[in-house]
Amino acid sequence: MENGGESGRKEEKNNVKWKFQGNQGLKSSAVSVRGVFNVLMQSINKERDAVHLCRVDPTDNPFFRADPVAAHALSTAVNSGNFNGYPPTAGLPQARRAIAEYLSSDLPNKLSAEDIFVTVGATQAIDIILPVIANPGANILLPRPGYPLYEFRAAFCGLEVRHFDLLPNSAWEVDIDSLEALADDNTVAMVLISPSNPCGNVFTYQHLKRVAETARKLGICVISDEVYGHIAYGSNPFVPMGVFSSIVPVITIGSLSKRWIVPGWRFGWIATCDPNGIFQKTGIAASIKRYVEITTDPPTVIQAAIPEILERTNNEFYSKNLDITRETANIFYEKLKEIPSLTCPHKPEGAMAVMVLINLSQIEGIIDDVDFCVKLAKEESVLILPGVTVGLKNWLRISFAVERSALEEGLSRLKAFCVRHATMSQQISA
Ligand SMILES: *Cc1c(COP(=O)(O)O)cnc(C)c1O
């Protein structure tokens, strides 16, 4: 009792009527990834080493190491002593210029430093861009399955969310008809993620063009989450949405986290790809500028390191990491085929996670995806995110950004689990 904690609190004596309460916008009904993760962690069988196939942090794989170029760039910035002050709003000019050049090498319409705003990871880019477009009554179209931060951020800034489907049997392409049917006069933007977390697909040039033309028809802008930009190791090359910016204005979100394997450095960016000046006309450009004036910036030393990181990281670093990712994706896909009751509809060809369908009719004693993951944690000490956390009930979202032996161990335990829980008819046919 004396040690405080909940039970140690004193009873409130006076009958004060407190007027404050938690923000209603934070009381989202959606399932939070961290909330589910905590439940899984509590369920885990402590007698066995846990295999984590749930979060995507490439540093979890010891074969993924940052390029020494990045460490050199950062230590040079620190040791110079020139970058200890506050950075200018929107970012150091040399960092903005370097990002504009980096992105422009894949674009027909070149970007300038003024099109770039540096952010604290892609997370802050999302935190900035949603409120910027959230006028009262506005709605945004988000992919299902998707990246949950968009839902939470939208809810918190009063932006209504509508979901369009990604089609698992058509390489997770956008269901264009459902997209069009969802939009109305208050729809302002749509979000696209390619290469995709959580689906592991990479949209083709043709498909992106169709999406751009649809967005133009609807009069909405495209927010393109390219945090996994260039992490494409299948047959579809990475195509940035900015390629279609003369059809529809595009806000590109990027970061150092995944491609350069430094998620802890918390550095990202927003790029406005808009050769026709539509963001100027509609006040979006001014709103972004206004917002970055009142929010925080990435550390100045990291910004100072950006030109060297973007210009000097060598191609071997990128291609070695792609090789590792391709190999783990292949192992994942082949091993998954041997697991009863689970189906991966599309072989991963980009990013570091994938969606897998649970065929519940072939499994006994499991109600849904959350139940599946809790029991899997209990029985096998394997942690996987239930699909409901990314918008698809009765699916699993599996991260394969782990070391090969951990992946193989995780998948063999997953198989043991599925075999043990298979219905009688499945066991007989097997
Ligand atoms: C990891 C990730 C982010 C967040 O990136 P940070 O730079 O770590 O903040 C945003 N979007 C997607 C799709 C991601 O996978």
Side-chain angles (χ1 to χ4, degrees):
M1 282 300 263
E2 305 89 89
N3 293 343
E6 289 293 331
S7 54
R9 283 203 191 122
K10 291 208 183 85
E11 271 296 306
E12 175 71 69
K13 293 261 162 51
N14 304 332
N15 276 332
V16 182
K17 208 162 173 264
W18 301 115
K19 294 185 193 121
F20 47 83
Q21 54 170 301
N23 189 318
Q24 296 299 309
L26 287 172
K27 256 172 67 186
S28 175
S29 58
V31 192
S32 89
V33 175
R34 288 214 180 136
V36 170
F37 183 72
N38 291 338
V39 172
L40 295 180
M41 285 302 282
Q42 283 156 19
S43 316
I44 215 158
N45 175 350
K46 306 234 162 45
E47 276 150 36
R48 292 172 87 180
D49 284 344
V51 180
H52 289 252
L53 302 178
C54 49
R55 70 171 193 168
V56 185
D57 180 339
T59 64
D60 288 347
N61 182 340
F63 292 105
F64 285 138
R65 280 291 163 257
D67 194 11
V69 167
H72 178 263
L74 184 58
S75 65
T76 307
V78 171
N79 290 330
S80 76
N82 293 332
F83 301 102
N84 296 333
Y86 286 115
T89 307
L92 284 178
Q94 61 269 42
R96 298 175 77 191
R97 218 177 303 120
I99 296 165
E101 274 169 29
Y102 168 74
L103 295 174
S104 293
S105 64
D106 299 315
L107 299 175
N109 300 297
K110 304 300 170 207
L111 301 175
S112 73
E114 284 67 47
D115 296 315
I116 309 295
F117 302 87
V118 300
T119 60
V120 182
T123 301
Q124 195 200 19
I126 298 168
D127 283 349
I128 291 172
I129 229 49
L130 296 192
V132 157
I133 57 168
N135 282 308
N139 68 68
I140 186 168
L141 310 182
L142 299 184
R144 178 174 52 209
Y147 188 70
L149 183 61
Y150 288 96
E151 269 79 8
F152 294 116
R153 190 62 179 129
F156 195 47
C157 63
L159 193 56
E160 185 201 329
V161 166
R162 300 182 181 182
H163 291 104
F164 60 88
D165 290 315
L166 302 177
L167 303 169
N169 298 321
S170 308
W172 293 108
E173 286 192 339
V174 175
D175 180 350
I176 303 264
D177 295 336
S178 96
L179 178 79
E180 282 195 53
L182 282 176
D184 63 15
D185 284 347
N186 293 322
T187 307
V188 295
M190 64 174 291
V191 170
L192 214 58
I193 307 172
S194 180
S196 166
N197 173 14
C199 302
N201 67 298
V202 179
F203 290 130
T204 62
Y205 180 97
Q206 284 310 326
H207 187 65
L208 289 174
K209 185 158 181 247
R210 258 192 87 201
V211 171
E213 282 160 353
T214 308
R216 179 184 178 85
K217 194 166 116 191
L218 299 172
I220 65 178
C221 67
V222 178
I223 297 169
S224 185
D225 184 326
E226 296 172 12
V227 167
Y228 286 96
H230 294 279
I231 306 185
Y233 40 85
S235 50
N236 292 349
F238 164 64
V239 179
M241 193 66 188
V243 165
F244 306 103
S245 59
S246 55
I247 300 175
V248 69
V250 175
I251 293 165
T252 301
I253 291 176
S255 100
L256 283 192
S257 302
K258 313 285 169 47
R259 192 176 192 209
W260 289 270
I261 318 183
V262 286
W265 288 22
R266 311 308 304 126
F267 186 88
W269 56 80
I270 292 169
T272 52
C273 310
D274 179 27
N276 300 326
I278 294 157
F279 288 141
Q280 298 293 337
K281 240 182 286 172
T282 52
I284 293 290
S287 293
I288 298 175
K289 285 197 187 102
R290 191 83 193 94
Y291 201 120
V292 297
E293 279 168 12
I294 57 167
T295 188
T296 191
D297 322 291
T300 315
V301 285
I302 308 253
Q303 297 192 34
I306 291 303
E308 187 176 336
I309 295 174
L310 296 186
E311 287 153 21
R312 307 271 300 275
T313 299
N314 54 55
N315 278 327
E316 279 126 64
F317 169 79
Y318 298 131
S319 58
K320 178 179 141 248
N321 292 334
L322 277 186
D323 289 344
I324 296 173
T325 315
R326 183 185 301 108
E327 193 194 327
T328 24
N330 284 343
I331 293 171
F332 170 84
Y333 191 68
E334 291 309 315
K335 294 255 176 232
L336 197 95
K337 282 185 193 159
E338 299 165 8
I339 304 183
S341 334
L342 298 183
T343 317
C344 178
H346 187 73
K347 183 174 178 179
E349 57 185 341
M352 297 170 181
V354 73
M355 296 297 292
V356 168
L357 177 66
I358 313 170
N359 305 306
L360 279 176
S361 66
Q362 300 173 7
I363 299 191
E364 247 163 24
I366 285 171
I367 335 167
D368 59 15
D369 54 339
V370 175
D371 195 31
F372 183 102
C373 294
V374 168
K375 287 183 173 141
L376 179 69
K378 255 192 203 128
E379 295 175 26
E380 299 286 347
S381 282
V382 174
L383 291 163
I384 290 178
L385 268 193
V388 68
T389 54
V390 294
L392 273 196
K393 199 170 164 52
N394 296 339
W395 286 70
L396 303 171
R397 196 213 66 166
I398 304 183
S399 159
F400 51 85
V402 292
E403 197 195 344
R404 182 181 173 150
S405 60
L407 182 68
E408 285 176 342
E409 174 65 19
L411 290 171
S412 84
R413 293 190 201 176
L414 182 61
K415 182 175 177 183
F417 178 84
C418 288
V419 167
R420 197 160 57 242
H421 288 272
T423 53
M424 260 335 211
S425 59
Q426 287 295 309
Q427 292 181 7
I428 290 160
S429 68

